């Protein structure tokens, strides 16, 4: 990151009254006329009002040197017609704001900026400094803030003025929209410290980006039916299937061989607890708002119940009809292992015109504009519990001759169920494991005109206009609801 260093002497920015801010709609005694005697655009008809010429709302050439300000002393910048090897005068302007600041630091003067777009990043001041934009290429006439744009990254134009005064007038500061989820918020200006004034300045922040959705939890592992463990963790005894003609521990009835009613699948395990949604409050980390994240869903789901037993009865139909055969019902299958919790969603990015981390801010006759807050990411679904294992196949009973049956039964037909008992003799399937908990949702992004950290002080006058975009919606999370949506506020004191 390039750091621009101002080392300018204290100067006055008003109409000669010693103030650093021009008065709104002030009538300047300097009447702008074509001409003068000392500057490149001098005209004999110009009547100088003195040797000084503070930049004013009217852009008058008060000292008849051909431009607002003092030609040969102040630094002039024009991105369209300048070159950084020039002297920095109205007819030989510099091209970049960075070069102008370096030259101004050497000569301790002001910077006057013509129309165009100028990249900015960070500014560190060692003394008082003042920048005036909105000028036509001639640097004469009423400055208009729409003409000059200071283009910053998504983290905004960062200003560290230390204990010094710094002012900007008649220009626009525009921050890009963020593109990286690690830093989802958008800023127009961020001020570390100093006494900063904005007069007739439009500050525009981009849109915050949508928060990341949480990941789906892992599915439940296969159960070790013999050891009755899931991932090596011992499970309760109700997970084991019961013997033939026995209800499972959740009360599921065994198969009814005589009436050809198969045992139903046993009950599923309980799902894990959902994670908590991301909070609605904001916090600063390393000079920016840190994105909050919903918590992970819990892994405390339970395994499914073991299956009920198969039915007992005399084989009365099918290939074995007419033969005195008895079938002993199969044992129920083991319950499935529970799934893992989903991860939390990330909160959507905020959009902030000015973030004041320290010092003081004075805003007059300006426009504070934000983009849209980003929607919070949905929490991840909990992983599905593993399906329970099928019950065992029936065996001959009462010393009946052996018969061969498929290992599983799905319908009453000759190939799948030779006993033609609607699978009633087979042990019931164990219940599926409970799903993991749903991850908490990310909160929606805020839209804020001026946010101030503890100890900082901001004052905004009644002539300043606020244009704040919509807030972001919270992502789905705890209990199937949504995390908090963002808020729209003109002034926000950071806790």
């Amino acid at each position: 990151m390039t750091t621009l260093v101002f080392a300018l002497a204290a100067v006055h920015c008003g109409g000669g009254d010693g103030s650093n801010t021009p008065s709104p709609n002030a009538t300047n005694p300097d009447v702008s006329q074509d001409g003068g005697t000392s500057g490149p655009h001098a005209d004999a008809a110009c009547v100088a009002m003195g040797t000084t010429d503070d930049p004013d709302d009217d852009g008058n050439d008060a000292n008849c040197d051909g431009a607002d300000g003092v030609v040969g002393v102040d630094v002039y910048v024009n991105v369209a017609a300048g070159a950084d090897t020039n002297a920095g005068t109205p007819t030989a302007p510099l091209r970049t704001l960075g070069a102008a600041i370096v030259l101004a630091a050497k000569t301790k003067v002001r910077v006057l900026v013509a129309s165009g777009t100028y990249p900015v990043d960070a500014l560190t001041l060692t003394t008082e400094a003042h920048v005036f934009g909105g000028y036509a290429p001639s640097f004469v006439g009423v400055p208009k803030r729409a003409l000059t744009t200071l283009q910053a990254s998504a983290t905004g134009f960062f200003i560290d003025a230390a204990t010094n005064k710094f002012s900007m007038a008649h220009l626009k500061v525009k921050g890009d929209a963020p593109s990286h989820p690690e830093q989802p918020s958008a800023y127009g200006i961020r001020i570390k410290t100093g006494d900063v004034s904005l007069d007739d300045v439009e500050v525009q922040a981009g849109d915050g980006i949508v928060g990341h959705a949480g990941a789906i939890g892992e599915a439940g592992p296969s159960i070790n039916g013999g050891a009755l463990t899931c991932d090596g963790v011992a499970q309760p005894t109700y997970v084991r299937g019961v013997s033939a003609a026995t209800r499972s521990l959740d009360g599921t009835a065994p198969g009814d061989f005589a009436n050809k009613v198969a045992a139903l699948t046993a009950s599923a395990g309980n799902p894990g607890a959902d994670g908590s949604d991301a909070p609605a409050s904001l916090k600063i980390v390393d000079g920016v708002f840190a994105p909050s994240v919903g918590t992970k869903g819990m892994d405390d789901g339970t395994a499914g119940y073991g299956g009920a037993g198969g039915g007992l009865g005399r084989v009365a139909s099918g290939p074995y009809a007419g033969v005195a055969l008895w079938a002993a019902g199969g044992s129920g299958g083991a319950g499935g292992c529970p799934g893992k919790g989903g991860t939390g969603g990330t909160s959507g990015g905020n959009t902030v015109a000015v973030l004041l981390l320290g010092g003081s801010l004075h805003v007059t006759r300006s426009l504070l504009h934000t983009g849209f807050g980003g929607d919070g990411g949905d929490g991840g679904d909990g992983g599905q519990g593993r399906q329970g294992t099928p019950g065992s196949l029936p065996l001959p009973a009462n010393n009946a001759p052996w018969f061969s049956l498929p290992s599983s039964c799905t319908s009453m037909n000759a190939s799948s169920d030779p006993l033609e008992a609607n699978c009633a003799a087979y042990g019931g399937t164990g219940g599926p494991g409970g799903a993991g908990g749903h991850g908490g949702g990310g909160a929606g992004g805020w839209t804020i005109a001026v946010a101030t950290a503890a100890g900082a002080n901001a004052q905004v006058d009644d002539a300043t206009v606020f244009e704040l975009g919509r807030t972001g919606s919270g992502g789905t999370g705890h209990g199937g609801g949504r995390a908090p949506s963002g808020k729209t506020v003109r002034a926000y004191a950071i806790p």
Side-chain angles (χ1 to χ4, degrees):
M1 179 179 289
T2 304
T3 298
L4 308 179
V5 180
F6 271 43
L8 308 185
V11 294
H12 296 307
C13 311
D17 60 354
S19 65
N20 289 331
T21 305
S23 301
N25 304 316
T27 301
N28 196 298
D30 305 336
V31 179
S32 179
Q33 303 180 41
D34 293 333
T37 57
S38 60
H41 307 292
D43 190 309
C46 182
V47 178
M49 304 298 292
T51 59
T52 62
D53 185 3
D54 293 333
D56 54 48
D57 279 5
D58 298 322
N60 289 329
D61 180 16
N63 60 354
C64 298
D65 61 1
D68 198 13
V70 180
V71 176
V73 177
D74 293 329
V75 179
Y76 296 80
V77 190
N78 187 335
V79 68
D84 286 345
T85 55
N86 285 345
T89 64
T91 54
L94 300 183
R95 183 175 186 275
T96 66
L97 189 61
I101 290 172
V102 171
L103 181 58
K106 294 178 180 178
T107 56
K108 299 182 179 180
V109 293
R110 301 165 294 202
V111 175
L112 283 72
V113 187
S115 58
T117 299
Y118 300 81
V120 293
D121 190 356
L123 171 67
T124 299
L125 300 176
T126 59
T127 188
E128 186 171 341
H130 306 279
V131 176
F132 302 88
Y135 286 99
S138 64
F139 294 96
V140 175
V142 176
K144 300 177 181 179
R145 69 185 180 202
L147 296 180
T148 302
T149 298
L150 307 187
Q151 184 67 55
S153 68
T155 54
F157 183 21
F158 183 74
I159 300 168
D160 181 2
T163 59
N164 303 296
K165 291 184 177 182
F166 174 66
S167 69
M168 292 188 291
H170 314 310
L171 52 78
K172 178 179 181 178
V173 180
K174 181 180 179 181
D176 287 335
S179 58
H180 301 291
E182 295 80 10
Q183 202 301 100
S185 294
Y187 307 86
I189 296 174
R190 290 186 303 131
I191 302 169
K192 181 177 180 180
T193 187
D195 185 359
V196 179
S197 297
L198 306 177
D199 179 56
D200 188 31
V201 173
E202 178 181 351
V203 184
Q204 180 176 340
D207 295 337
I209 63 175
V210 174
H212 267 310
I216 298 173
E218 296 179 14
S222 298
I223 192 166
N224 184 330
L228 212 63
T229 59
C230 294
D231 277 343
V233 178
Q235 299 300 306
T237 56
Y238 71 75
V239 176
R240 191 184 304 278
V242 297
S243 58
T246 305
R247 287 181 178 272
S248 63
L249 295 182
D250 69 332
T252 301
D256 183 345
F257 192 86
N259 293 306
K260 299 182 179 182
V261 178
L264 299 177
T265 299
S267 300
N270 295 321
D274 291 345
S276 298
D277 294 330
S281 58
L282 306 177
K283 65 177 181 179
I284 293 290
V285 177
D286 295 331
V288 294
F289 284 116
S292 56
V293 182
T295 63
K296 180 180 179 296
M298 299 296 289
D299 298 337
D300 58 354
T302 59
Y305 281 82
L312 300 174
R314 188 173 186 274
V315 180
S317 62
Y320 302 102
V323 181
L325 296 179
W326 288 76
S331 300
C337 294
K340 307 294 185 181
T343 61
T346 302
S347 293
N350 309 298
T351 173
V352 186
V354 182
L355 174 58
L356 184 61
L357 301 168
S360 60
L361 171 68
H362 309 274
V363 182
T364 55
R365 304 185 306 172
S366 295
L367 170 60
L368 302 181
H369 178 90
T370 71
F372 292 165
D375 292 335
D378 294 335
D381 291 332
Q384 293 297 311
R386 180 75 64 169
Q387 294 296 315
T389 58
S392 63
L393 70 163
L395 300 174
N398 299 333
N399 298 317
W402 184 263
F403 48 81
S404 177
L405 297 176
S407 61
S408 62
C409 182
T410 57
S411 63
M412 191 173 76
N413 58 53
S415 62
S416 179
D417 185 16
L419 301 181
E420 296 186 0
N422 194 30
C423 305
Y426 283 76
T429 300
H438 194 284
W446 291 43
T447 57
I448 306 172
V450 180
T452 56
N457 177 56
Q459 297 180 358
V460 181
D461 75 349
D462 292 338
T464 293
V465 177
F466 301 84
E467 294 181 355
L468 307 183
R470 68 161 176 80
T471 61
S473 299
T476 57
H478 185 87
R482 286 190 172 274
S485 294
K487 298 180 181 181
T488 298
V489 289
R490 291 186 175 185
Y492 177 69
I494 304 167

